[in-house]
Amino acid sequence: MNNPFDFIDIAIKEAKKSLQEGNSGFGAVIIKDNFVISKARDKDTISKDPTSHAEINAIRQASHQLRGDFKGCMLISTHEPCPMCSTAIVWAGIKHIAFGYSIKDAIAQGRKRINLTCSELFKRAGTSIEVITDVKKDECSLLYNNQVRKSIKQLRNAGPTELSDSAKELRNKRINWFKRQNFQCDNNDVLDAAYQLFLAKLGITAEEAPIVDRQDKKLVIHSKNFCPTLEACKILGLDTRDICKQLNEEPTQALLQQLNPNLHFKRNYDCLRPFKSYCEEMIILM
């Protein structure tokens, strides 16, 4: 019996390649008797072909090898097949499919989708197709997270000039955000106020970024919160030690210095995700 959990990583890898190429981030694989018959990703953006979806590309590839006989095959995709791809599955005669992220989830996230599930389409087509849902859903969902995709768009093919421009934009946004807030502190509580400001701007809790060392003029923080930049770097194959230093460090320091000009923000780039399980960051009062 084909187990989709054994093969979904192939589809995820294809989806990551799609995002690296500037496409929409969908991946699919067709297996039979626990062997990979084909794997594919969407190419609709770069090919200017709106039908170049991952599932259809996988079916086209497999059809040459199988001579159109899909008996015993399973199609596994990172995202629930759209109505076009679901119809192609019906016409191909594939009787087993599995996916990670659903159309329902995508619509709830605000993404534009045709609100017709593959199961509903299969039912209307009068065909019996086994559907397995939520296969490594958490991993697949990262491919379609709006914040992650925004970071991917920002970082894809970005050189030093583009990163510098993005850092300046981020710096201005954080300063403008601070001016709309009502943060206050007395001189005896600068570090604690800076830490609360750090948490508030990132929208995270102290449990996600706990203080692990407290000194008179320094706080050491181990950040474990969800980070779109981290996920985008992992997908694009970028080194967070380079990207975070160029993109995020100075804007965070500029934010803290709105509170007190003697505050400084530093990272330990020998202790940074994904190379470690947390990012070691420091707030220092000079």
Side-chain angles (χ1 to χ4, degrees):
M1 180 66 179
N2 297 314
N3 185 348
F5 286 90
D6 294 336
F7 294 91
I8 185 69
D9 287 343
I10 297 173
I12 292 173
K13 187 175 181 179
E14 287 294 311
K16 290 180 178 179
K17 288 180 181 178
S18 165
L19 289 169
Q20 293 165 10
E21 294 167 349
N23 287 300
S24 299
F26 298 87
V29 59
I30 293 176
I31 59 174
K32 181 176 182 179
D33 299 327
N34 284 315
F35 287 99
V36 174
I37 304 300
S38 68
K39 57 183 180 180
R41 55 191 178 274
D42 65 293
K43 298 183 178 182
D44 52 319
T45 301
I46 59 173
S47 69
K48 309 301 181 185
D49 177 0
T51 69
S52 187
H53 287 200
E55 295 91 338
I56 286 181
N57 290 336
I59 290 171
R60 285 171 175 164
Q61 289 180 30
S63 66
H64 295 296
Q65 182 173 341
L66 299 174
R67 298 183 179 275
D69 181 6
F70 285 87
K71 184 179 179 180
C73 287
M74 171 180 280
L75 184 148
I76 307 162
S77 55
T78 56
H79 192 288
E80 180 176 1
C82 72
M84 177 180 71
C85 294
S86 295
T87 303
I89 289 168
V90 172
W91 292 131
I94 296 172
K95 297 298 184 182
H96 310 274
I97 75 161
F99 61 82
Y101 196 68
S102 71
I103 290 173
K104 180 181 178 180
D105 288 328
I107 292 174
Q109 193 184 25
R111 298 183 60 79
K112 186 178 179 180
R113 289 289 178 271
I114 297 174
N115 193 7
L116 178 63
T117 68
C118 63
S119 293
E120 185 177 354
L121 189 144
F122 297 153
K123 182 179 179 180
R124 292 186 185 185
T127 184
S128 178
I129 296 177
E130 178 193 32
V131 179
I132 301 174
T133 66
D134 299 338
V135 181
K136 291 195 175 181
K137 180 180 177 179
D138 289 344
E139 291 183 43
C140 291
S141 68
L142 289 174
L143 300 166
Y144 310 108
N145 180 283
N146 287 331
Q147 291 178 294
V148 174
R149 291 170 82 89
K150 183 179 179 180
S151 291
I152 288 171
K153 184 177 180 181
Q154 177 188 49
L155 297 176
R156 187 194 298 117
N157 301 322
T161 299
E162 290 80 8
L163 288 173
S164 177
D165 290 343
S166 294
K168 291 176 183 177
E169 181 181 356
L170 181 59
R171 181 184 190 276
N172 291 335
K173 284 183 177 180
R174 290 186 173 179
I175 291 174
N176 290 333
W177 175 86
F178 178 85
K179 291 177 179 179
R180 296 192 299 268
Q181 310 304 310
N182 188 31
F183 274 94
Q184 298 178 357
C185 71
D186 58 49
N187 291 332
N188 296 323
D189 201 25
V190 176
L191 284 177
D192 282 334
Y195 176 59
Q196 293 304 318
L197 176 59
F198 173 79
L199 296 178
K201 183 61 194 80
L202 294 179
I204 60 177
T205 65
E207 288 74 22
E208 293 174 290
I211 296 172
V212 297
D213 185 22
R214 182 187 292 269
Q215 302 175 20
D216 287 343
K217 293 191 175 183
K218 183 171 78 171
L219 298 178
V220 180
I221 304 164
H222 283 181
S223 297
K224 306 173 185 178
N225 57 294
F226 172 75
C227 177
T229 301
L230 168 66
E231 299 303 332
C233 285
K234 287 161 62 176
I235 289 170
L236 294 174
L238 299 175
D239 193 325
T240 52
R241 292 168 294 195
D242 296 328
I243 298 300
C244 293
K245 190 173 185 65
Q246 296 180 70
L247 183 63
N248 294 325
E249 185 170 316
E250 199 282 330
T252 303
Q253 176 165 297
L255 170 67
L256 297 178
Q257 289 181 342
Q258 299 304 300
L259 194 66
N260 185 303
N262 295 318
L263 286 168
H264 291 262
F265 177 78
K266 299 291 183 183
R267 283 195 178 97
N268 178 0
Y269 286 95
D270 291 326
C271 190
L272 199 71
R273 294 178 291 175
F275 310 102
K276 300 289 185 178
S277 61
Y278 54 83
C279 296
E280 186 167 273
E281 301 170 313
M282 290 155 279
I283 299 175
I284 304 167
L285 182 64
M286 296 295 192

